[in-house]
Amino acid sequence: MSKTPWNPSKKATARVKAPLPAPIACPNCGDDVAIVHHNDVYGRAYGDWPWLYRCADNDCDSYVGMHPFTNIPLGTLADPSTREARKACKPSFEALWKGEAAFLSRKQAYQALASQLGIPVKECHFAWFSAATCLQAREACERLMQNHQVTETTER
């Protein structure tokens, strides 16, 4: 039997450390949420697991992908402005732990960001953030980077 969101992989499901519950109602408009194929949103399939949760109200345009081979959402349903904020703000976070100026491990970066935002580390996921929280996260990451650069300069 092939794997689908209605018949997910038990192994893949067990690998997800902090699973969110499947959304039932859209947090943005309150309408129902359904599982749809990538074709319904993007016009074609992407990746090996072409499924996502989507708000039934097409005007709302909120959706979220799923962890591969599971029916577990990757985050919370996001409308276009929230999706854009997530995409625009995550690079500031990634600069902390990868790339030329990186100075933290990935785990340390999440710990530092969670501390800056005043949230538990287990809730520190861009895919869970609202647009406003994404902007706060970007500002926090920029402060962390600036503080590191100042500390690094004064230690020389």
Side-chain angles (χ1 to χ4, degrees), residues 17-21 74-76 86 93 107 109-130 133-134 136-137:
K17 292 180 183 170
L20 287 174
L74 286 166
T76 59
R86 288 173 179 174
F93 170 73
K107 182 178 180 180
Y110 273 109
Q111 290 169 334
L113 179 57
S115 176
Q116 290 283 310
L117 295 175
I119 62 173
V121 175
K122 67 181 181 179
E123 295 174 15
C124 192
H125 302 280
F126 276 81
W128 296 14
F129 292 170
S130 66
T133 303
C134 285
Q136 292 171 344

Side-chain angles (χ1 to χ4, degrees), residues 35-53:
I35 295 172
V36 299
H37 194 275
H38 283 181
N39 290 341
D40 299 325
V41 175
Y42 308 120
R44 72 179 196 92
Y46 287 92
D48 294 333
W49 195 245
W51 303 101
L52 47 84
Y53 288 100

